[in-house]
Amino acid sequence: MTAENVFQRTKTYLQNMIKAGKLGRKEWEGCNNLENFDTTTWIERPTKLIKTVRWIPPDTGCNIVRGFIRKVTAASALDAELQALSLGLEMVTGRGRKVWIESDSKEVISLIQLNKPGPAHLRHQTTFIRNKLKEVVAKYSHCYNVGNKAAEYAAKLGSPENGQQEFDRDTAPAMIKALVRMDQLNMPNFQFLRH
């Protein structure tokens, strides 16, 4: 193998690394030999932005009133959100007239609040929710899932059994109590975004 072959193979390898986004401006800093490479394909890696997200707790002083953990089988994220809302409304039936519905899905809030029909395969679910909402005075809000860490944790956890695990402030899982305590102390949550 000649020196020219080694140079050509190295150049090809480096060019492929540039095209793949593995070598960018930062890696070539201080190098004066860039005229041998096609740098028009440089892919700059996106930088991450950190956004502070604070959860605004309900009027209860941020105490756990009731909660539940349950695995759901859903055809889509919207289906899962509507199922969770239905289960929550079932749980509060007979426990008072004021309900605060908060979701990380703007679509769910819009669907319910604006009385939109929604997808055909979920209309039975939205009809059930609307009928339940006739029994209460509801307030609606959207919060990114990273804003309400306790709800995000419960949603990911699912029930250890096949049934539903309900809890109040005394029987809540320790991690949920800890996350709610962080909210009581007004600790921020962070959302990492690609820029």
Side-chain angles (χ1 to χ4, degrees):
M1 186 176 289
T2 67
E4 183 62 32
N5 286 347
V6 171
F7 175 76
Q8 194 58 42
R9 289 178 99 178
T10 303
K11 181 180 174 185
T12 301
Y13 175 77
L14 291 173
Q15 188 65 57
N16 288 337
M17 294 291 285
I18 291 169
K19 286 180 182 176
K22 303 293 183 189
L23 293 175
R25 280 184 174 79
K26 183 178 177 185
E27 288 78 17
W28 287 97
E29 202 170 292
C31 183
N32 297 329
N33 252 7
L34 289 180
E35 65 272 357
N36 292 323
F37 298 98
D38 176 13
T39 58
T40 60
T41 60
W42 264 343
I43 300 171
E44 295 298 322
R45 292 187 189 106
T47 57
K48 287 187 179 178
L49 298 176
I50 302 172
K51 180 180 177 182
T52 303
V53 180
R54 291 198 189 273
W55 181 56
I56 300 168
D59 302 329
T60 62
C62 197
N63 290 322
I64 298 172
V65 178
R66 303 250 346 129
F68 68 92
I69 300 169
R70 179 177 178 173
K71 287 192 185 292
V72 295
T73 304
S76 65
L78 178 60
D79 184 17
E81 291 282 343
L82 290 172
Q83 285 186 49
L85 179 53
S86 295
L87 292 167
L89 288 170
E90 274 289 319
M91 192 174 66
V92 300
T93 298
R95 297 185 188 272
R97 295 235 345 116
K98 290 184 177 181
V99 176
W100 188 329
I101 296 171
E102 182 174 83
S103 176
D104 66 340
S105 170
K106 289 181 180 178
E107 186 177 8
V108 166
I109 297 298
S110 175
L111 194 67
I112 301 305
Q113 198 172 20
L114 301 176
N115 212 16
K116 292 183 177 179
H121 69 285
L122 297 175
R123 289 197 183 137
H124 67 284
Q125 197 79 273
T126 55
T127 300
F128 174 82
I129 291 168
R130 286 193 186 98
N131 287 336
K132 281 292 182 186
L133 288 173
K134 290 176 185 175
E135 303 170 15
V136 296
V137 176
K139 179 178 179 177
Y140 305 91
S141 62
H142 169 266
C143 180
Y144 293 104
N145 62 345
V146 296
N148 188 340
K149 286 286 192 189
E152 180 185 31
Y153 177 80
K156 288 181 180 175
L157 189 62
S159 178
E161 309 86 45
N162 287 334
Q164 179 170 306
Q165 178 187 351
E166 291 187 23
F167 56 86
D168 57 23
R169 76 177 200 197
D170 297 323
T171 60
M175 185 63 167
I176 290 178
K177 287 180 182 179
L179 292 168
V180 168
R181 182 66 183 139
M182 289 174 66
D183 287 329
Q184 289 171 331
L185 296 171
N186 203 24
M187 301 285 291
N189 298 299
F190 301 98
Q191 183 176 24
F192 297 92
L193 307 167
R194 289 194 174 268
H195 177 64

